[in-house]
């Protein structure tokens, strides 16, 4: 399986990092070794001093497809989840300064905690609330109506370049409020009122 992630998909988050608003989705990948499942803890790596949380809605691809038409894109995912796109902001800033790829800042071991996946049927995907708490304090509070590129546009766009396969996961971008984590922290991520993911930082 592969993990495809979208950067800069919420205007307020673009502003907080002083990034430019993209004309097309910003796409990067994480390897399968980035996955953390079943609320497994995250071990703070020694190569960074500034790991940030980014809470994001996930799509789970349910069948193979490429060059997917946007109007059929909804047929390629039945389930959604919530995940954290851990980012080594210090390494990413160095890469960005030099115009280099971000992989080491985004795809390191454990950089992709994901929740269980749940049926999309009971949700309005165009108006979905999601949030992240750090040690009980609300830090990020997003709504999918604020995405620059909605889910179906993302699926159509990335499938031009990468054949999507059953089990692939798409991270759809983070709202504003990203911030650093520290050893001992407890992160909790919610879709609407339901807590679906917990990560302890060790
Ligand atoms: Mg992200």
């Amino acid at each position: 399986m592969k993990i495809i992630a979208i950067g800069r998909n919420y205007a307020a988050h673009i502003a907080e990092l002083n990034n430019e608003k993209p004309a097309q989705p910003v796409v990067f990948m994480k390897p399968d070794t980035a996955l953390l499942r079943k609320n497994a803890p995250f071990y703070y790596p020694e190569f960074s001093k500034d790991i940030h949380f980014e809470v994001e809605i996930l799509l789970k691809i349910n069948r193979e497809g490429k060059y997917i038409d946007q109007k059929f894109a909804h047929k390629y995912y039945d389930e959604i989840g919530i995940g954290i796109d851990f980012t080594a902001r210090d390494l990413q800033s160095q890469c960005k300064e030099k115009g280099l790829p971000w992989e080491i800042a985004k795809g390191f071991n454990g950089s992709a905690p994901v929740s269980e996946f749940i049926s999309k049927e009971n949700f309005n995907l165009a108006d979905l609330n999601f949030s992240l708490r750090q040690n009980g304090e609300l830090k990020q509070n997003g709504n999918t109506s604020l995405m620059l590129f909605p889910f179906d546009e993302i699926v159509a766009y990335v499938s031009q370049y990468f054949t999507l396969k059953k089990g692939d996961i798409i991270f759809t971008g983070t709202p504003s409020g990203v911030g650093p984590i520290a050893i001992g922290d407890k992160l909790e991520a919610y879709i609407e009122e339901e807590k679906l993911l917990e990560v302890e930082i060790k």
Side-chain angles (χ1 to χ4, degrees), residues 65-84:
K66 58 180 164 182
Y67 285 101
I68 298 165
D69 195 304
Q70 196 175 318
K71 65 176 179 287
F72 301 122
H74 65 278
K75 295 174 183 282
Y76 287 79
Y77 57 95
D78 304 317
E79 292 181 315
I80 60 171
I82 196 151
I84 300 172

Side-chain angles (χ1 to χ4, degrees), residues 5-8 13 28 30 53-56 84-87 89 92 102 106 171-175 178:
I6 304 300
R8 304 182 191 173
H13 172 62
F28 59 93
K30 294 175 184 258
F53 54 77
E54 296 188 357
V55 73
E56 310 200 3
I84 300 172
D85 168 20
F86 277 134
T87 303
R89 198 69 75 200
Q92 189 193 31
W102 303 342
K106 284 286 198 181
F171 278 67
T172 59
T174 196
V178 301

Side-chain angles (χ1 to χ4, degrees), residues 5 13 48 61 76 80 91 101 104 110 121 134 139 148 166 173 199-200:
H13 172 62
S48 175
I61 298 299
Y76 287 79
I80 60 171
L91 299 187
I104 57 166
E121 288 310 318
Q134 181 180 31
K139 292 288 180 153
L148 302 181
K166 187 174 178 177
V199 185
E200 267 184 60

